[in-house]
């Protein structure tokens, strides 16, 4: 039996991860009992309903005991492990759970694989189902002619990249048009309480941007997006997307959104029917920008056929507070902003 001087032990506890986070799931231990750890070295990975992150070692020493096993759900402040400051102990190994694969031995070469669903995927599944269960969701779609935006983008994208270090995609134009359309359509920048007795209309917009990361879909939030121009939006979108994809996004950066945009067109989808990010009342889906042959009326009133860059925009909305006319009116305003276009001055800043 190993004798350990209790005064040389440090208990690793789960730190606060944001005001709205009360518990998390231990997803992976990066060290095993008996391993040497250094101060601030990543010790384990955890997952909340918003983000995956690492917990660093609070001190240097030897990891002598793991208290919370992988897949355990632990509350904030709970003990996770024990680190001993002395190096002469020889702790016994604490086995870590491993992935279990079950297959019929007779069909081993072609058998299916029964992997455990990752915590972040379980959270996404739960939230999507809850969203559909708690609100009446409908989707409205319009088609937008992006000729003006496409010309401006084509003329300035190289200079914009050189000046800002950010590629100028169509997304910040979509975002700006939506943000400018929200004030006259405030029911789409709102939230309902759980009892459906009170609605909060937000004076500004904290814009959520759906981003596909290595561990699943996340929605980082751009604070006070309503006050930003296209250049600022482009930089902010690139920044939060990089953080999601590099797994450096914080919990606080995933909370507090009032309206969300999901750019499914980045994967070639023409349009979809996105699910609302509760407790918001609307989510805008932006489809792929594609060249289509469309009829255009000239100054004489005659029609001609032209190839134009076109895209579908969809708005999924909570029909408990948003009527179909409200949703169509919002999309109509977004369409007007995009088809009227922007100027080079809008790309400054």
């Amino acid at each position: 039996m190993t004798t350990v001087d209790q005064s040389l032990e440090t208990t690793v506890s789960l730190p606060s991860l944001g005001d709205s986070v009360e518990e998390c799931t231990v997803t992976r231990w990066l060290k095993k009992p008996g391993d040497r750890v250094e101060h601030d070295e990543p010790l384990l990975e955890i997952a909340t309903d918003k983000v995956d992150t690492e917990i660093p070692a609070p001190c240097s020493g030897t990891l002598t005991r793991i208290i919370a096993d992988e897949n355990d759900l632990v509350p904030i402040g709970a003990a996770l492990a024990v680190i001993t400051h002395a190096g002469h102990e020889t702790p016994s190994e604490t086995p870590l759970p491993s992935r279990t694969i079950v297959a019929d031995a007779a069909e081993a070469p072609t058998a299916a694989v029964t992997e455990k669903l990752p915590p972040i995927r379980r959270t996404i599944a739960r939230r999507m189902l809850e969203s559909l269960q708690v609100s009446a969701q409908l989707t409205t779609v319009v088609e937008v002619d992006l000729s003006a935006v496409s010309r401006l983008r084509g003329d300035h994208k190289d200079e914009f990249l050189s000046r800002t270090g950010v590629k100028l995609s169509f997304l910040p134009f979509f975002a700006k048009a939506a943000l400018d359309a929200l004030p006259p359509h405030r029911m789409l920048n709102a939230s309902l309480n759980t009892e459906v007795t009170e609605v909060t209309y937000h004076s500004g917009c904290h814009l959520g941007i759906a981003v596909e990361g290595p561990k699943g879909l996340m929605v980082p939030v751009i604070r006070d997006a309503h006050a930003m121009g296209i250049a600022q939006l482009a930089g902010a979108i690139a920044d939060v997307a990089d953080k999601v994809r590099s797994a450096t996004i914080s919990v606080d950066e995933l909370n507090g959104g009032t309206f969300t945009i999901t750019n499914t067109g980045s994967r070639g989808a023409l349009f979809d029917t996105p699910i609302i990010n509760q407790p918001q009342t609307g989510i805008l889906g932006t489809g792929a920008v594609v060249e289509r042959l469309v009829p255009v009326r000239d100054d004489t009133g005659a029609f001609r056929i032209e190839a134009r860059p076109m895209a579908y925009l969809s708005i999924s909305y909570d029909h408990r507070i948003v009527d179909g006319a409200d949703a169509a009116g919002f999309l109509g305003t977004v369409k007007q902003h995009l088809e009227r276009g922007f100027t080079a001055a809008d790309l400054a800043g």
Side-chain angles (χ1 to χ4, degrees):
M1 178 180 296
T2 301
T3 302
V4 178
D5 183 349
Q6 297 298 316
S7 66
L8 298 179
E9 289 186 345
T10 295
T11 299
V12 182
S13 300
L14 181 63
S16 175
L17 300 168
D19 293 341
S20 63
V21 180
E22 298 179 353
E23 59 187 11
C24 76
T25 300
V26 176
T27 55
R28 185 164 70 106
W29 280 95
L30 305 176
K31 298 288 184 177
K32 63 181 184 298
D35 284 351
R36 173 74 183 179
V37 297
E38 302 299 330
H39 181 240
D40 280 341
E41 182 180 9
L43 189 61
L44 72 155
E45 294 177 349
I46 58 97
T48 73
D49 62 354
K50 293 285 188 179
V51 69
D52 292 2
T53 190
E54 295 176 342
I55 303 297
C59 61
S60 299
T62 300
L63 178 63
T64 51
R65 185 157 59 99
I66 288 176
I67 298 172
D69 290 328
E70 291 181 358
N71 296 317
D72 280 358
L73 187 65
V74 293
I76 298 299
L80 300 172
V82 174
I83 295 176
T84 301
H85 297 254
H88 60 270
E89 296 88 351
T90 308
S92 59
E93 288 282 327
T94 301
L96 297 179
S98 58
R99 185 176 67 183
T100 301
I101 299 178
V102 178
D104 188 326
E107 299 179 352
T110 59
V113 177
T114 59
E115 291 185 16
K116 197 162 191 175
L117 204 61
I120 188 69
R121 192 71 254 172
R122 297 202 301 267
T123 297
I124 292 171
R126 175 174 55 81
R127 283 181 169 269
M128 293 299 97
L129 182 60
E130 287 175 353
S131 180
L132 291 174
Q133 290 174 333
V134 302
S135 62
Q137 300 190 26
L138 290 178
T139 303
T140 297
V141 181
V142 298
E143 189 175 30
V144 180
D145 184 343
L146 292 168
S147 296
V149 170
S150 183
R151 283 193 298 269
L152 180 67
R153 176 175 173 266
D155 290 343
H156 294 275
K157 63 181 181 180
D158 292 339
E159 180 275 333
F160 188 88
L161 176 61
S162 176
R163 172 166 53 89
T164 66
V166 176
K167 291 183 179 180
L168 185 59
S169 70
F170 283 95
L171 184 54
F173 293 97
F174 290 140
K176 181 60 176 173
L179 290 164
D180 288 346
L182 283 175
H185 302 281
R186 63 176 189 157
M187 69 291 298
L188 284 161
N189 190 34
S191 55
L192 282 170
N193 65 353
T194 54
E195 294 79 21
V196 198
T197 58
E198 185 176 279
V199 59
T200 299
Y201 295 104
H202 304 289
S203 57
C205 182
H206 299 321
L207 180 64
I209 298 290
V211 178
E212 186 70 27
K215 297 184 179 180
L217 186 69
M218 296 183 183
V219 186
V221 176
I222 300 172
R223 310 288 172 187
D224 298 316
H226 61 278
M228 295 182 179
I230 292 173
Q232 291 173 300
L233 285 168
I237 291 169
D239 179 59
V240 295
D242 286 344
K243 287 183 178 179
V244 168
R245 291 164 185 153
S246 62
T248 58
I249 196 79
S250 70
V251 173
D252 289 340
E253 291 174 292
L254 296 167
N255 290 325
T258 63
F259 182 80
T260 295
I261 295 178
T262 177
N263 183 28
T264 54
S266 64
R267 298 298 180 93
L270 294 180
F271 70 90
D272 65 358
T273 57
I275 296 175
I276 294 171
N277 189 20
Q278 297 293 334
Q280 298 169 25
T281 56
I283 179 171
L284 179 68
T286 61
V289 180
V290 297
E291 293 284 336
R292 293 198 187 94
L293 294 178
V294 296
V296 178
R297 191 187 297 273
D298 62 23
D299 294 338
T300 68
F303 279 108
R304 66 180 184 275
I305 301 298
E306 289 186 1
R308 295 281 183 101
M310 307 293 290
Y312 292 111
L313 303 181
S314 59
I315 182 75
S316 289
Y317 57 96
D318 189 341
H319 206 8
R320 295 176 301 169
I321 186 66
V322 183
D323 291 333
D326 298 325
F330 169 76
L331 283 182
T333 303
V334 175
K335 176 183 172 76
Q336 289 173 7
H337 286 312
L338 290 169
E339 293 187 344
R340 184 177 64 236
F342 301 90
T343 67
D346 293 315
L347 302 181

